[in-house]
Amino acid sequence: MSKLTTINQYDELIQKLFTEGLEKSERETLVAWIQKDATHKHYFEEQQELWYISMCANPKAKQYDWEKAYTHFIQRIDANQHPQRTKLFDYMQLSKIAAIAILVIVVGVFAYWVGQSYASFSLDRLTTIEAPLGSKTKLVLPDGSTVWLNSGSKISYAQSFGHKNRDLALEGEAYFEVTKNKNLPFQLQMNGMRLKVLGTKFNVTDYPEDSITIVNLLSGHVALENQIQKKSIMHLLPNERATFNNRSGKWKKSICEAQESTQWTSDYLLFEDLPLSEIIKTLNRAYDVHITLDSTKIDIANLRFYGKFIQSKNTIEDILTKIVHTKNLKYKGKNGQYYIYFDS
Amino acid sequence: MSDQDIIMLLSQRDNRAYHYLYSNYYQLLCTVAYSIVQDHYDAECIVGDLIFHLWEHYDSIHIQKSLKAFLISSTRNRALNHIRTAKNKYEIHLSKITDPDIHPDRFLVDNNHPLGHLLTQELEKDIQEAVNNLPTETKRVFRLSRFEGMSNQEIADKLQISINTVKYHIKQALALLRKALGKYFILAIIYIGHFF
């Protein structure tokens, strides 16, 4: 009877090891039990083997695409057999160009977030860099990668960033030029999605407060892991865009002019057939203003506009004036508070 | 092609060998890696890196016994290394373990008794059958735990059962798998020691 009880007790620890992981003291208890007797050891090893090999029965195992993987392998060995010639005479320039895999993350819905998702990204001793509303920030990370942060966005990373890992959290909008480092994957954790890179690939994630996340890839190769819908994976090639709904987990891939998505880093405000509601969000961030819309008469929020402005030259009032002129609207207000309404 | 043929082609960097590895072993090896790292993308990277390693070091690879045993043990070791390095942060994060005392490694590994040795015996079908033959509820709980990487609490919430019932089903699953597959353990002892 007592022997049965002990086995039961250790069975529980063994199961906990497999399913939840053990705390240090539990682990020590289990190891001591295993080492105490050869039959214990045998029993444990067999349980472990059973748990381990049962993964063969996973129906998902079939989803690995070996043909695609083989194609990728062939590309990889080709690249190794024919190293780029430019390397010979301008190594610095090459490392700058080749090592840059460029990624733009445009988070559609923006603004007042910070959330649980962010808190759950557990990194110790975080360094946080924030671009305040109304200004943009460019910075170089400890690993040499460059990040442009749009107004009101921030990134965080642990002190070990650059030597032990390259794990990063982002809130908002940023444009990355990531230096290549095969030994340290560049990983960006967001809510519902993760961006990951080994070698020249990436993977992205986003937050629950914003429903749409857009990733535009300029060069390199990014892998996105959907953590909402069965951990499916999407690979992006240059000039491809992923549009991800971080509430439903639905996503799609489309072709884009990725270069255009980086316009904001160069002082331009580019609006291409965007609804006024989206434009206002961008303006609110860029100028640190608060614009509201009259929604009583017509659906002003969904009126679409084209426009290109230079932030350092055009004031917010210049832009508002141009916007209202094209659609029979008016605006009023000052000192950062504006109201757009229909001119009846 | 026999193992010996493949091993010879590997030593000559012949693409047919890599094609053979991808078409015959890629999915199995990804599954082996996934079972440790719990991440499809990482699993594929690990296997891709292993095969690339075989290509890079084609002139210094020594595969003594079974090719399959070599591939499985190499994949397993790479996967274990992967979760032991700094990258394991995500494992901890994803499995919602926040206590730094909790070790992310779900296996206690002893080189004298390598994990996965039963796989070298062409047992995949038997294993699948053993899992499929589990009673419906037990199978459901076991699959969520083993294949979806869900915690006991998450399974309990999802299936609207108590956490003790979850634990009972997992225990039951292991006992039944032991009953179905236990006979191979005796055979397996012969293979142990031929791995490295």
Side-chain angles (χ1 to χ4, degrees), chain B residues 130-196:
Chain B
V131 172
N132 284 334
N133 287 340
L134 293 173
T136 317
E137 266 307 286
T138 301
K139 182 161 60 184
R140 209 163 156 209
V141 170
F142 183 75
R143 282 183 163 167
L144 291 174
S145 179
R146 188 71 185 97
F147 306 148
E148 306 292 328
M150 288 171 77
S151 72
N152 291 348
Q153 189 60 55
E154 286 168 330
I155 298 170
D157 292 344
K158 184 184 166 85
L159 300 180
Q160 300 281 302
I161 54 181
S162 78
I163 195 155
N164 279 328
T165 310
V166 173
K167 286 181 185 166
Y168 163 80
H169 282 301
I170 288 171
K171 188 176 167 185
Q172 178 82 349
L174 275 166
L176 290 169
L177 292 180
R178 193 179 176 82
K179 211 170 164 187
L181 300 168
K183 60 189 170 195
Y184 298 113
F185 283 126
I186 298 149
L187 284 170
I189 292 164
I190 302 160
Y191 288 80
I192 294 168
H194 289 177
F195 274 71
F196 297 97

Side-chain angles (χ1 to χ4, degrees), chain A residues 107-109 190-193 205-214 226 228 243-251:
Chain A
V107 177
V109 184
M190 294 185 259
N191 197 27
M193 194 161 66
T205 319
D206 202 41
Y207 327 95
E209 291 82 356
D210 309 322
S211 63
I212 301 292
T213 303
I214 300 170
N226 188 331
I228 296 177
T243 308
F244 177 68
N245 183 317
N246 61 36
R247 305 243 159 88
S248 68
K250 284 184 182 155
W251 60 5

